[in-house]
């Protein structure tokens, strides 16, 4: 069982930055591939970024490529999402998700994820 708790959301002006954190419980965090998803107002929940269990491969949605960086610290059981050059369209609830995987395969399919956090709100003002 893995519990995920996101933090770091808030209100920021367009062009600003935020760093989200997702703290995981459990001793097997390092065996989980981790991803961030987001759900904007009135929208479906969409994939944002993923990182493999070792942290040596990362993947991004085209909409955030070059602005967001996903990383992880397995010693701290935490995955991060550094968000720079934020835009109003980045406004959403951001969720982290965990998938038991020790391969470099990644997926944007939400049903393939085993655990989800409760989400943290990010609001970007224009």
């Amino acid at each position: 069982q893995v519990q995920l708790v996101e933090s770091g959301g808030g209100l920021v002006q367009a062009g600003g930055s935020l760093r989200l954190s997702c703290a995981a419980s459990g001793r097997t965090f390092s065996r989980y591939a981790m991803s961030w998803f987001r759900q904007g107002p009135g929208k479906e929940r969409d994939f944002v970024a993923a990182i493999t269990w070792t942290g040596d491969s990362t993947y991004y949605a085209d909409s955030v490529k070059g602005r967001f960086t996903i990383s992880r610290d397995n010693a701290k059981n935490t995955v991060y999402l550094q968000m720079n050059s934020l835009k109003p369209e980045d406004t959403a609830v951001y969720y982290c998700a965990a998938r038991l995987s020790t391969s470099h395969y990644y997926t944007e399919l939400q049903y393939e994820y085993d655990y989800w956090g409760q989400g943290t709100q990010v609001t970007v003002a224009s």
Side-chain angles (χ1 to χ4, degrees), residues 43-118:
K43 298 180 181 180
E44 299 288 321
R45 188 163 59 183
D46 292 327
F47 170 80
V48 175
I51 188 166
T52 53
W53 66 293
T54 55
D56 59 353
S57 294
T58 56
Y59 309 90
Y60 298 93
D62 288 343
S63 59
V64 306
K65 205 170 291 183
R67 300 188 298 122
F68 290 12
T69 303
I70 188 172
S71 61
R72 66 189 296 160
D73 185 338
N74 286 345
K76 295 183 178 180
N77 280 14
T78 302
V79 63
Y80 304 97
L81 186 67
Q82 177 67 43
M83 305 186 295
N84 298 329
S85 302
L86 282 161
K87 305 175 181 179
E89 52 263 44
D90 295 319
T91 294
V93 178
Y94 284 72
Y95 299 89
C96 67
R99 183 174 59 86
L100 184 63
S101 173
T102 55
S103 75
H104 283 76
Y105 164 76
Y106 95 103
T107 179
E108 300 179 14
L109 298 175
Q110 298 179 42
Y111 68 82
E112 293 202 27
Y113 286 82
D114 303 302
Y115 302 101
W116 292 82
Q118 83 291 346

Side-chain angles (χ1 to χ4, degrees), residues 7-20 38-41 67-68 81 83-95 119-126:
S7 62
L11 173 64
V12 64
Q13 293 294 315
S17 298
L18 281 175
R19 189 176 81 155
L20 305 183
R38 67 185 181 185
Q39 186 168 20
R67 300 188 298 122
F68 290 12
L81 186 67
M83 305 186 295
N84 298 329
S85 302
L86 282 161
K87 305 175 181 179
E89 52 263 44
D90 295 319
T91 294
V93 178
Y94 284 72
Y95 299 89
T120 187
Q121 176 70 47
V122 171
T123 302
V124 184
S126 57

Side-chain angles (χ1 to χ4, degrees), residues 20-52:
L20 305 183
S21 299
C22 173
S25 65
R27 294 177 293 177
T28 59
F29 173 76
S30 61
R31 296 176 62 196
Y32 283 81
M34 301 295 296
S35 292
W36 288 93
F37 290 80
R38 67 185 181 185
Q39 186 168 20
K43 298 180 181 180
E44 299 288 321
R45 188 163 59 183
D46 292 327
F47 170 80
V48 175
I51 188 166
T52 53

